[in-house]
């Protein structure tokens, strides 16, 4: 395992995959306010988060 960061305890959902198609796994997360965040991975670490949307707090599963 590789530690990518901390502070995820307030997130309701966290998932990783190469969403951008560049070969490095990125992270998507839904925070406790229902915001969906995208954390791009440059290959050396996670970049600044980008807010993708709101209203995801009512979803039981996000994948
Ligand atoms: Ca990627």
């Amino acid at each position: 395992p590789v530690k990518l960061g901390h502070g995820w305890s307030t997130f309701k959902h966290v998932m990783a995959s190469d969403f951008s198609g560049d070969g490095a796994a990125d992270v998507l997360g839904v925070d406790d306010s229902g915001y969906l965040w995208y954390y791009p991975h440059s290959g050396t670490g996670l970049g600044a988060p980008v807010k993708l949307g709101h209203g995801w707090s009512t979803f039981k599963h996000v994948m």
Side-chain angles (χ1 to χ4, degrees):
V2 176
K3 185 175 172 183
L4 294 178
H6 63 87
W8 300 95
S9 63
T10 60
F11 278 69
K12 296 182 71 163
H13 307 283
V14 177
M15 65 222 85
S17 185
D18 182 15
F19 300 106
S20 66
D22 64 359
D26 314 297
V27 174
L28 281 177
V30 177
D31 68 16
D32 61 352
S33 296
Y35 288 99
L36 175 65
W37 295 92
Y38 168 66
Y39 292 79
H41 196 289
S42 64
T44 58
L46 294 177
V50 177
K51 191 189 312 178
L52 296 181
H54 183 253
W56 294 83
S57 62
T58 58
F59 285 78
K60 186 171 185 174
H61 302 286
V62 179
M63 60 189 88

